[in-house]
Amino acid sequence: AQKITQTQPGMFVQEKEAVTLDCTYDTSDQSYGLFWYKQPSSGEMIFLIYQGSYDEQNATEGRYSLNFQKARKSANLVISASQLGDSAMYFCAMRDQITSGSRLTFGEGTQLTVNP
Amino acid sequence: DTGVSQNPRHKITKRGQNVTFRCDPISEHNRLYWYRQTLGQGPEFLTYFQNEAQLEKSRLLSDRFSAERPKGSFSTLEIQRTEQGDSAMYLCASSLGTNQPQHFGDGTRLSIL
């Protein structure tokens, strides 16, 4: 069963606008963590932001914020004021305590293109 | 600030040969992970070490694959008798703890001729 679903294979945004990348997850665990990573064409995986299942506030890191809706099991990434350098593949990942232990389970990714 | 280092960056080999990759984690990180990523997909978990102990192995890790982390420092991933299907990017990551972010290296891209 798919544990992480990213329904947008590709997204386009104009420079300086905000964009939301969708992520839904499936777990029966109460304790879990959600992560977003950026992978530019050069290949390295860059950690962006983390949300714990017990965190009451939505996580924010600079221009990145996470719209965490626990009841809907969604953890969407919001990038504000997009820059050309934000063009990359973005992966949502989850770690849940019981079924996956320490491993991360990744979605299939969303390719974001920022247009000038 | 030294990140996760992987060597080599690229490896091209003939089918049936053995290959070995090395990963040097961030120095204070006691957890080390190996993932495999094929084109257009997200990374898939292979195995996990806490210090020198290999605590988890994926079913993807066939008996041709072996990983070690002697003394809880660097790790090696060996693939014996390589097959076409082994062509992929092999990513190493490390973290301070289970709920801490995993930081990835640049990966080793394996191509099987």
Side-chain angles (χ1 to χ4, degrees):
Chain A
Q2 188 79 355
K3 296 187 72 172
I4 296 286
T5 303
Q6 295 181 253
T7 57
Q8 307 153 314
M11 286 285 285
F12 295 86
V13 66
Q14 287 298 120
E15 195 178 6
K16 301 180 185 176
E17 292 186 353
V19 62
T20 298
L21 306 183
D22 294 342
C23 173
T24 58
Y25 59 91
D26 182 27
T27 181
S28 55
D29 248 336
Q30 296 301 308
S31 175
Y32 53 89
L34 296 153
F35 303 79
W36 277 92
Y37 286 85
K38 171 185 178 182
Q39 189 174 41
S41 57
S42 50
E44 71 271 30
M45 293 283 287
I46 302 167
F47 166 71
L48 297 178
I49 196 166
Y50 165 77
Q51 179 84 42
S53 58
Y54 293 119
D55 294 341
E56 294 186 354
Q57 303 276 351
N58 285 343
T60 60
E61 289 286 348
R63 295 187 298 109
Y64 304 107
S65 60
L66 208 151
N67 183 2
F68 181 46
Q69 297 186 47
K70 196 170 181 177
R72 297 180 62 183
K73 294 188 175 178
S74 74
N76 298 337
L77 177 70
V78 181
I79 305 174
S80 62
S82 297
Q83 302 172 355
L84 295 178
D86 294 335
S87 294
M89 185 73 102
Y90 288 80
F91 290 99
C92 179
M94 178 176 69
R95 185 205 63 79
D96 51 11
Q97 187 70 29
I98 296 175
T99 56
S100 67
S102 295
R103 67 178 70 181
L104 291 178
T105 301
F106 286 83
E108 294 194 347
T110 296
Q111 180 69 50
L112 176 66
T113 302
V114 180
N115 294 317
Chain B
D1 180 24
T2 304
V4 177
S5 176
Q6 290 188 248
N7 287 289
R9 290 295 309 277
H10 303 277
K11 180 71 176 178
I12 302 173
T13 192
K14 293 182 179 179
R15 183 166 52 94
Q17 298 294 306
N18 299 345
V19 293
T20 300
F21 311 139
R22 177 179 170 124
C23 172
D24 288 89
I26 294 171
S27 57
E28 62 267 28
H29 288 184
N30 62 353
R31 287 163 165 81
L32 186 147
Y33 312 81
W34 284 99
Y35 292 84
R36 181 171 69 185
Q37 186 179 24
T38 53
L39 203 61
Q41 302 293 318
E44 294 177 294
F45 171 80
L46 291 177
T47 190
Y48 154 62
F49 291 85
Q50 183 170 329
N51 300 311
E52 66 274 13
Q54 188 174 20
L55 298 185
E56 285 185 61
K57 287 172 62 173
S58 163
R59 282 170 291 181
L60 290 175
L61 215 65
S62 76
D63 56 5
R64 296 185 299 105
F65 287 70
S66 62
E68 294 182 341
R69 193 182 181 197
K71 302 178 182 178
S73 56
F74 71 92
S75 175
T76 58
L77 177 69
E78 181 183 15
I79 308 174
Q80 295 182 329
R81 305 181 304 281
T82 51
E83 301 174 354
Q84 290 286 349
D86 296 333
S87 294
M89 176 76 89
Y90 290 83
L91 295 165
C92 176
S94 68
S95 72
L96 265 176
T98 302
N99 288 323
Q100 299 298 312
Q102 294 179 21
H103 295 273
F104 285 78
D106 289 344
T108 295
R109 183 168 297 283
L110 175 65
S111 298
I112 308 297
L113 299 178

